[in-house]
Amino acid sequence: MLGKKLVTAQKRGETRALCLGLGMVACSMMMYFFIGITIVPFYTNSVWTTETVCKVLKANIKDKVFCPNSEGSEDEEIFPYPCLQVWVNLTASGQEVMLYQTEDTLERNPKCSYVPDKLENPKEVKTQIETIASNFKKYQTFPCYYDPGGTQTNVILSRLYPSKGLLFAFLWPTFMFTGGCLIIVLVKISQYVSVLSAWQ
């Protein structure tokens, strides 16, 4: 009687472990799919792939512009922000080009080098942009990214999804997939050993 209870408990444990392993594999595959349709296209479509050194030529704050994030909404004209324009000398070609924070900045507002997140206090936005402008004037030389193909004449300060970021995004689903496969293999080995010992 006790032996039957132990066998039943063992089978239940194996079933739960097998379900856990299959669940981990399924979740990791979903994460792979999600990363593949969201992050990977941004990484592959980015033309700013080569790193070089940029030297600041001028960093000016122009008149206020409207926030492009609220396009089509009622509060479109209540979030103006100072337009920071940073021009740099690209050491790779010696050209004078405009600097943008990321690829997304160019799409949101090609007139400004920096587009702030929407803040309630306009003074905070102004202070933030003035601090960024002073930092550019203080640190004249810094690494930046440009398009080696020449389709984009401007440069960006940092990529939204660099190679390290992409690898880090795939790291966790890989761990989950490996752990799920390991659990499934261990359960199958345990079942094989149990059947083998029972047959003997």
Side-chain angles (χ1 to χ4, degrees):
M1 188 70 178
L2 182 60
K4 289 183 179 180
K5 290 183 179 180
L6 290 174
V7 171
T8 303
Q10 182 181 4
K11 288 183 178 180
R12 288 178 180 175
E14 290 175 349
T15 302
R16 291 173 181 174
L18 190 62
C19 290
L20 175 63
L22 293 174
M24 291 174 66
V25 171
C27 288
S28 64
M29 297 304 293
M30 292 176 62
M31 292 174 68
Y32 278 131
F33 176 75
F34 179 76
I35 294 172
I37 63 174
T38 55
I39 299 178
V40 173
F42 281 106
Y43 176 80
T44 55
N45 293 335
S46 177
V47 296
W48 296 271
T49 55
T50 306
E51 185 175 350
T52 185
V53 177
C54 289
K55 184 177 181 181
V56 176
L57 297 176
K58 53 185 176 181
N60 301 323
I61 298 178
K62 301 293 184 179
D63 295 334
K64 291 184 177 181
V65 294
F66 295 132
C67 178
N69 276 343
S70 54
E71 185 176 351
S73 62
E74 296 179 356
D75 60 346
E76 180 179 357
E77 298 184 357
I78 65 171
F79 182 53
Y81 63 93
C83 183
L84 172 64
Q85 293 182 346
V86 180
W87 292 88
V88 297
N89 183 16
L90 186 61
T91 57
S93 60
Q95 294 178 330
E96 180 180 340
V97 296
M98 189 168 177
L99 174 74
Y100 295 94
Q101 184 185 13
T102 61
E103 301 96 330
D104 185 56
T105 307
L106 178 62
E107 294 181 1
R108 292 170 64 185
N109 191 351
K111 295 182 180 180
C112 303
S113 297
Y114 173 76
V115 177
D117 295 329
K118 188 170 182 180
L119 300 175
E120 296 296 333
N121 193 344
K123 292 183 179 179
E124 292 182 6
V125 177
K126 182 180 179 181
T127 303
Q128 184 183 39
I129 293 177
E130 289 176 349
T131 302
I132 294 173
S134 63
N135 287 336
F136 276 118
K137 294 176 182 179
K138 182 178 179 181
Y139 303 101
Q140 293 284 314
T141 305
F142 50 87
C144 59
Y145 294 89
Y146 75 101
D147 175 19
T151 55
Q152 291 287 345
T153 56
N154 41 59
V155 295
I156 60 173
L157 181 62
S158 60
R159 300 183 66 183
L160 277 175
Y161 300 104
S163 301
K164 292 182 179 179
L166 189 66
L167 291 175
F168 185 77
F170 279 105
L171 185 64
W172 294 111
T174 301
F175 280 151
M176 184 178 293
F177 180 80
T178 304
C181 291
L182 186 62
I183 290 175
I184 294 173
V185 170
L186 291 176
V187 169
K188 292 299 181 181
I189 292 175
S190 175
Q191 290 176 345
Y192 175 76
V193 172
S194 299
V195 171
L196 185 64
S197 54
W199 179 79
Q200 290 179 349

